[in-house]
Amino acid sequence: MSVASTSEESPDSAQRIDSFNGEQSVYFVPFRWWKDAQESVPCESVEKREILYTAATTGSSYGGPMKLINNIFNSDILFDLRREGDDALQSNDTGEASVSGRDFALVSSDMWLQALKWHHNDKINEKGVKSFSTGGVDRGDVYPVQLRLSVLQETNSLAVKICKKDNSVECFRRACKIFSLDSEQLRIWDISGQTTLFFQKDMNNSKACQQQTDQEILLELQIYGLSDSINLKESKKEDGSTHQTNGITNGTTFRFGRSHSLSFLGKAGEAGTLGLTGLQNLGNTCFMNSSLQCLAHTPKLVDFFLGEYIREINLENPLGMKGEIALAFGDLLRSLWAPGASTVTPRTFKAKLGRFAPQFSGFNQHDSQELLAFLLDGLHEDLNRVKNKPYVEAKDGDGRPDEEVADEYWRNHMARNDSIIVDVCQGQYKSTLVCPICKKVSVMFDPFMYLSLPLPCTSIRTMDLTVMSADGGSLPVSVTVNVPKFGKFEDLQKALVTACSLPEDETLMVTEVYNNRILRVLEDPSDSLSLIRDGDKLVVYRLKKDANDSPLIVFMHQKLEEQFICGKSSPTWKGFGIPLVSRLCDVENGFDVEKMYLKLLSSFKMPSEVFTENLENPTEEEATEKAGTDGTTSAEDKNSTDVKETTESVPDPVLRLYLTDDIGGSIESEILKEKPVNIKSKRLNVLARWPVKELDVYDTCLLSSLPEVSKFGTKRPQETVSLYKCLEAFLTEEPLGPDDMWYCPGCKEHRQAIKKLDLWRLPEILVIHLKRFSYSRFMKNKLEAFVDFPIDGFDLSSYISYKNGQTTYRYMLYAISNHYGGMGGGHYTAYVHHGGDRWYDFDDSHVNQISQEKIKTSAAYVLFYKRLVEE
């Protein structure tokens, strides 16, 4: 509001809670406009708060027309407002004929907003208006005028001064036109209660001081509905009854009702609507903006925080935040719903949030649902109507009827928790635990603020692998298996055994191949499959079980390729193909090793007619090689499987085998046919170097063909799951995890009990959190499944366990918090319903209309439903 004193005030008056009524905006509106909408103001009867003032010239003892001392636009405006007695109030009470175009009202911002709601609904009823285009409020319809007030106790009056120095030229000019008309008596009805506070404060100051000091109070009025073209005279309706024009110009209309939104028709092309205000991104705060927009459009919360919510702030709750979170949220919500508001910067709210929840401090990305959970709980504790929480001991059902036990739990909960959040957002579910040993049954009824539903999609991951035969008797086979997306390696092993029709005398060795060598062997059954990336290349080797104790032999391949350096041809050993693996059994010398290698290669041998055709039609490269090269090679490359010759001579035209390291990057010694093989470890790495001509008989392209686990760009069909299926999965009984064991009072030990949840009491606002994110020891994952959720008729009547006379269990969607992207970052937005079939996309500071057909996406993360009222 903007009430200030020009003299020093006491420290108590500086406190936010104690002086809040003096900080609300006071609106100066036509009295008829207010009177027509008076029935929309909830709770108390406002008639008892009406104080009538009549304007008089300064120092005058009668209620005649007000005069200015000098020229209307050159001097300050001076007049007195004389407070009338109760008789005057009664004689003027609600009389239609007694209200003229010179009657005005002072109302609080809460009353003003309620009046806007009523007038819009009234217009809909009269004209049958279904929807309105959006526009902004003409700022000429709401403008401030600064008044200086002095209390005159002896005459029960207020001395009013409107100074040019306190107001802009335009606002002062308008004030002159409003307050200087002398055609009729000027009367002001104070319904805000502010002037009564001025008189009380002045009286207290007088008692505290020996002599009364002159004290001016600076009051800022928000003038509404009075433009230059306004006609405050009464006009006749067609039926002959009197009706005053309400001074609402520029086509301003208001939309509230079931959608709880106020829309304004303004000048063509203007953007902005009550409630359609964006939030600036302060740096990775889209998660916060998304949740705030959903809460700022929750019907009962909007009405509550636009009203006198300060009265319910609990400053003594040790679990609360001294009302600071509630005040910050209330201020932010009022800013979002202020007429003509542009983008709001939530810096103050962010600072409060970081102070009380350090996990949200800084500018890292966070989870919008985690913020929502903290904020709802914080608002509840700040607004808890229970000042002293009694100690309540939870009791088991012990065979009593569920209805009795549930009501007892709810009464106990309400004895400690009673707030607008509980009234609107909290429900109750039944939790049943059954001991698997002694069959002890424990029944409890717990409150919930939101439902976290699992996504029962198949969560299947499709993987492509290459399977190599155990003895070289067949070509590599490409195998596609389906495994749990977040499963373990043992799941992959089981799928491969089935896909390969593996006989009992064989086993599988799964490896990752990179740069023509085995990078790693996958053998730990408990390893997560998330360690396998889509771009990896997996090769599965079939091995005989009876040879499990024998050493492993791994063959890697190299061939001679030409490389041109500075115009000179240089032959280089180049790695190629998939490594071949077998077990070393009955191997005595190098001849046995070569024989084993050629046997494993036998399936890659090309048919004789194809080989003959290649000899008759050599390639250009082969022709060049036949003509001869200088055979020069360079030193060995330690970082690659490509090795250059160190001699000046051309390599022998025969296959040679060498002992090497795991990557085939260095040569230890040559394996000679007649010499025994020295086996020092469980794995023998052999590098096979091929002369060009001998390799021509093999299909090296087939040997090198190796698919990725999941080829990039391969479009997998998107999984779809119904929201009802998610709810059913949430209500399905399941065993507790080993880290969440239940202490059984029968066994006197912790047991992995069977848990079953049932919905017992549903709230007016139902918040549903879709559990898209999963966390493991190794990494985080997000489920991208499309959840098909209802918009207008979410019917939970078949899922509620206890129907306590509630007329309906049907809900309507009104907001969605969306998350786009993966775990590493992503972006949050919000979709909000704004009356009729209109939806808006809140993307930080950008607010755009979106068709209802487009609000269902796989990005939906938190759903906000409101209960439908049976008509």
Side-chain angles (χ1 to χ4, degrees):
M1 143 157 168
S2 321
V3 174
S5 174
T6 55
S7 64
E8 185 176 356
E9 297 188 16
S10 64
D12 293 340
S13 65
Q15 294 183 6
R16 174 69 188 271
I17 303 301
D18 295 341
S19 63
F20 182 82
N21 286 333
E23 294 182 3
Q24 291 195 61
S25 295
V26 176
Y27 283 78
F28 184 86
V29 299
F31 184 69
R32 170 69 66 183
W33 180 83
W34 157 256
K35 205 67 177 177
D36 289 343
Q38 181 174 309
E39 62 188 55
S40 69
V41 178
C43 302
E44 58 187 309
S45 175
V46 297
E47 286 86 351
K48 297 179 181 179
R49 298 169 55 181
E50 293 181 357
I51 304 297
L52 174 60
Y53 292 88
T54 57
T57 54
T58 301
S60 175
S61 60
Y62 64 91
M66 175 197 65
K67 304 288 185 182
L68 293 181
I69 294 179
N70 293 314
N71 184 283
I72 187 172
F73 295 123
N74 295 328
S75 300
D76 295 340
I77 305 172
L78 303 173
F79 62 95
D80 292 345
L81 288 176
R82 188 181 64 189
R83 184 171 180 172
E84 301 294 342
D86 294 337
D87 293 339
L89 292 178
Q90 293 173 1
S91 64
N92 289 289
D93 187 25
T94 68
E96 292 273 341
S98 66
V99 178
S100 73
R102 294 281 288 160
D103 282 12
F104 301 95
L106 298 177
V107 297
S108 66
S109 58
D110 310 327
M111 299 173 180
W112 179 68
L113 284 170
Q114 293 290 346
L116 295 185
K117 301 178 190 179
W118 185 90
H119 277 285
H120 174 64
N121 289 337
D122 184 57
K123 182 162 185 176
I124 290 180
N125 295 333
E126 288 184 4
K127 296 189 176 182
V129 181
K130 296 296 184 182
S131 62
F132 301 90
S133 61
T134 61
V137 177
D138 188 343
R139 296 309 295 164
D141 266 359
V142 182
Y143 56 90
V145 170
Q146 300 282 349
L147 281 68
R148 292 179 179 268
L149 304 177
S150 298
V151 177
L152 307 176
Q153 293 284 359
E154 64 278 6
T155 59
N156 204 23
S157 302
L158 289 172
V160 182
K161 181 194 298 183
I162 305 177
C163 302
K164 291 183 63 177
K165 66 177 182 179
D166 295 333
N167 298 277
S168 66
V169 174
E170 179 61 22
C171 289
F172 184 75
R173 183 184 66 82
R174 293 186 179 191
C176 289
K177 289 191 175 184
I178 293 172
F179 294 107
S180 66
L181 295 178
D182 57 0
S183 58
E184 293 183 59
Q185 175 69 60
L186 173 66
R187 298 188 302 182
I188 299 176
W189 303 73
D190 179 21
I191 303 157
S192 67
Q194 286 298 323
T195 59
T196 301
L197 294 179
F198 299 157
F199 277 97
Q200 291 175 351
K201 184 177 180 181
D202 182 78
M203 188 173 295
N204 293 335
N205 290 342
S206 299
K207 292 179 180 179
C209 303
Q210 292 297 326
Q211 65 178 39
Q212 183 174 348
T213 58
D214 292 335
Q215 182 176 350
E216 281 189 342
I217 301 170
L218 185 62
L219 170 65
E220 181 181 277
L221 289 183
Q222 298 295 329
I223 309 296
Y224 174 72
L226 304 174
S227 67
D228 287 348
S229 60
I230 194 168
N231 179 10
L232 295 177
K233 303 296 183 182
E234 293 180 357
S235 60
K236 294 287 184 179
K237 288 186 178 180
E238 293 181 3
D239 58 3
S241 62
T242 59
H243 177 71
Q244 177 188 331
T245 57
N246 58 18
I248 302 176
T249 60
N250 299 317
T252 307
T253 57
F254 319 96
R255 178 171 182 82
F256 239 79
R258 291 183 66 182
S259 66
H260 287 262
S261 61
L262 284 127
S263 303
F264 287 88
L265 278 175
K267 298 178 180 178
E270 290 186 16
T273 286
L274 278 183
L276 296 184
T277 306
L279 287 167
Q280 183 180 341
N281 192 321
L282 304 177
N284 281 331
T285 56
C286 57
F287 74 98
M288 180 183 75
N289 294 346
S290 174
S291 291
L292 286 175
Q293 291 290 8
C294 293
L295 284 182
H297 290 82
T298 297
K300 288 293 183 67
L301 292 186
V302 173
D303 290 341
F304 178 79
F305 280 99
L306 292 183
E308 298 179 355
Y309 74 96
I310 292 297
R311 297 179 179 180
E312 296 197 11
I313 287 184
N314 188 338
L315 298 175
E316 303 170 359
N317 188 356
L319 299 179
M321 286 152 275
K322 305 301 180 183
E324 294 192 40
I325 284 293
L327 284 170
F329 179 77
D331 287 347
L332 182 62
L333 187 142
R334 288 170 179 243
S335 298
L336 291 173
W337 283 90
S342 57
T343 300
V344 174
T345 303
R347 188 167 285 109
T348 301
F349 179 83
K350 176 68 169 60
K352 296 287 185 183
L353 182 68
R355 176 184 170 192
F356 292 104
Q359 66 269 29
F360 298 118
S361 61
F363 298 97
N364 292 325
Q365 184 67 282
H366 294 281
D367 191 310
S368 68
Q369 188 273 333
E370 292 178 2
L371 170 73
L372 178 68
F374 168 80
L375 185 54
L376 286 176
D377 186 64
L379 290 175
H380 158 64
E381 295 296 352
D382 270 1
L383 299 169
N384 198 343
R385 304 178 185 111
V386 179
K387 304 301 181 182
N388 298 307
K389 295 187 177 184
Y391 172 75
V392 178
E393 184 177 357
K395 298 179 182 179
D396 201 5
D398 291 330
R400 291 182 292 162
D402 284 347
E403 295 83 355
E404 178 184 337
V405 179
D407 289 343
E408 179 183 283
Y409 269 83
W410 190 252
R411 285 195 303 271
N412 292 341
H413 175 67
M414 292 295 294
R416 295 174 54 85
N417 304 277
D418 183 16
S419 69
I420 182 65
I421 303 299
V422 175
D423 297 343
V424 174
C425 299
Q426 285 199 356
Q428 187 182 33
Y429 59 74
K430 174 185 175 182
S431 175
T432 305
L433 292 171
V434 180
C435 177
I437 306 300
C438 71
K439 305 304 178 183
K440 166 70 177 175
V441 178
S442 174
V443 178
M444 301 182 72
F445 292 84
D446 300 313
F448 67 84
M449 195 92 73
Y450 51 86
L451 297 177
S452 289
L453 305 187
L455 271 61
C457 47
T458 54
S459 302
I460 293 299
R461 181 182 183 186
T462 302
M463 303 178 70
D464 298 323
L465 305 91
T466 301
V467 179
M468 308 292 289
S469 64
D471 54 3
S474 60
L475 290 170
V477 177
S478 181
V479 174
T480 300
V481 295
N482 293 322
V483 293
K485 189 173 183 179
F486 308 115
K488 301 183 182 300
F489 176 65
E490 60 183 352
D491 299 317
L492 177 59
Q493 286 180 311
K494 293 176 183 178
L496 287 170
V497 168
T498 303
C500 297
S501 300
L502 197 70
E504 293 186 359
D505 63 338
E506 286 187 9
T507 186
L508 299 176
M509 184 178 77
V510 184
T511 66
E512 179 186 347
V513 172
Y514 179 74
N515 274 357
N516 311 111
R517 66 178 187 270
I518 294 177
L519 184 64
R520 59 173 174 155
V521 178
L522 308 178
E523 50 190 353
D524 188 347
S526 63
D527 277 352
S528 172
L529 290 180
S530 59
L531 295 175
I532 302 175
R533 298 166 299 182
D534 288 344
D536 293 343
K537 297 181 178 181
L538 299 187
V539 178
V540 183
Y541 297 95
R542 300 176 65 155
L543 302 172
K544 292 292 184 181
K545 273 186 178 178
D546 58 358
N548 280 344
D549 294 333
S550 300
L552 188 72
I553 184 168
V554 179
F555 293 98
M556 290 168 278
H557 330 279
Q558 286 184 351
K559 62 180 178 179
L560 201 62
E561 285 189 355
E562 290 295 327
Q563 194 174 58
F564 290 88
I565 302 177
C566 297
K568 297 185 65 176
S569 174
S570 175
T572 303
W573 290 108
K574 179 77 173 180
F576 71 95
I578 306 170
L580 302 178
V581 179
S582 185
R583 292 289 183 180
L584 276 173
C585 52
D586 301 328
V587 173
E588 297 180 357
N589 52 36
F591 179 81
D592 295 329
V593 173
E594 182 177 336
K595 182 180 177 181
M596 178 182 293
Y597 176 53
L598 294 177
K599 182 180 180 182
L600 292 174
L601 271 177
S602 60
S603 60
F604 294 95
K605 214 165 191 179
M606 291 189 295
S608 57
E609 59 270 15
V610 176
F611 175 62
T612 304
E613 181 180 347
N614 290 342
L615 287 178
E616 293 175 353
N617 301 285
T619 63
E620 181 179 349
E621 180 182 349
E622 290 170 340
T624 303
E625 290 177 357
K626 188 174 182 180
T629 64
D630 60 2
T632 305
T633 60
S634 60
E636 180 180 298
D637 183 357
K638 296 285 185 180
N639 298 322
S640 170
T641 56
D642 304 340
V643 181
K644 296 180 180 180
E645 284 298 307
T646 56
T647 64
E648 293 295 328
S649 61
V650 178
D652 294 332
V654 293
L655 169 67
R656 293 185 180 274
L657 304 177
Y658 301 89
L659 294 179
T660 183
D661 55 17
D662 290 348
I663 65 173
S666 62
I667 293 177
E668 297 177 1
S669 61
E670 184 179 356
I671 299 177
L672 302 176
K673 294 182 179 180
E674 64 278 3
K675 295 288 184 71
V677 179
N678 186 13
I679 303 173
K680 299 179 181 179
S681 64
K682 285 291 185 178
R683 173 171 167 175
L684 188 67
N685 298 298
V686 176
L687 177 63
R689 284 187 165 177
W690 284 91
V692 176
K693 290 304 175 186
E694 287 195 29
L695 190 59
D696 284 342
V697 300
Y698 295 99
D699 189 345
T700 56
C701 292
L702 185 60
L703 181 61
S704 301
S705 178
L706 194 59
E708 297 178 349
V709 168
S710 180
K711 187 176 180 181
F712 180 76
T714 302
K715 193 169 184 179
R716 308 283 183 182
Q718 187 179 41
E719 294 180 83
T720 301
V721 61
S722 166
L723 183 60
Y724 289 106
K725 291 294 183 182
C726 298
L727 184 60
E728 291 168 5
F730 174 75
L731 300 176
T732 301
E733 67 177 27
E734 61 179 355
L736 295 177
D739 298 329
D740 192 25
M741 306 258 291
W742 169 64
Y743 182 78
C744 175
C747 300
K748 306 296 182 183
E749 290 190 22
H750 286 87
R751 300 295 187 190
Q752 200 166 348
I754 304 299
K755 184 176 182 178
K756 174 73 169 66
L757 295 178
D758 294 287
L759 297 179
W760 192 265
R761 189 188 309 264
L762 293 177
E764 183 172 343
I765 298 297
L766 180 62
V767 180
I768 294 180
H769 163 227
L770 302 176
K771 297 173 70 174
R772 291 194 177 276
F773 302 113
S774 62
Y775 305 87
S776 66
R777 183 176 52 167
F778 304 101
M779 63 186 303
K780 304 174 183 178
N781 297 285
K782 180 187 176 185
L783 293 174
E784 297 286 355
F786 175 82
V787 179
D788 186 10
F789 48 85
I791 297 177
D792 295 320
F794 185 32
D795 190 359
L796 296 177
S797 56
S798 60
Y799 297 93
I800 188 78
S801 296
Y802 174 62
K803 298 181 179 180
N804 56 353
Q806 187 172 312
T807 57
T808 179
Y809 297 96
R810 295 176 64 248
Y811 287 80
M812 183 182 84
L813 185 73
Y814 71 90
I816 309 170
S817 176
N818 301 303
H819 179 266
Y820 298 90
M823 293 293 302
H827 182 61
Y828 287 92
T829 67
Y831 292 154
V832 173
H833 182 233
H834 213 70
D837 59 353
R838 292 180 302 153
W839 283 81
Y840 285 85
D841 178 11
F842 288 77
D843 186 356
D844 289 330
S845 58
H846 304 285
V847 181
N848 299 294
Q849 192 165 359
I850 185 174
S851 65
Q852 183 170 292
E853 292 74 24
K854 294 183 179 180
I855 66 172
K856 287 187 178 185
T857 68
S858 58
Y861 182 41
V862 184
L863 307 175
F864 293 77
Y865 283 92
K866 61 181 177 181
R867 187 163 55 210
L868 293 173
V869 179
E870 291 290 343
E871 298 180 355

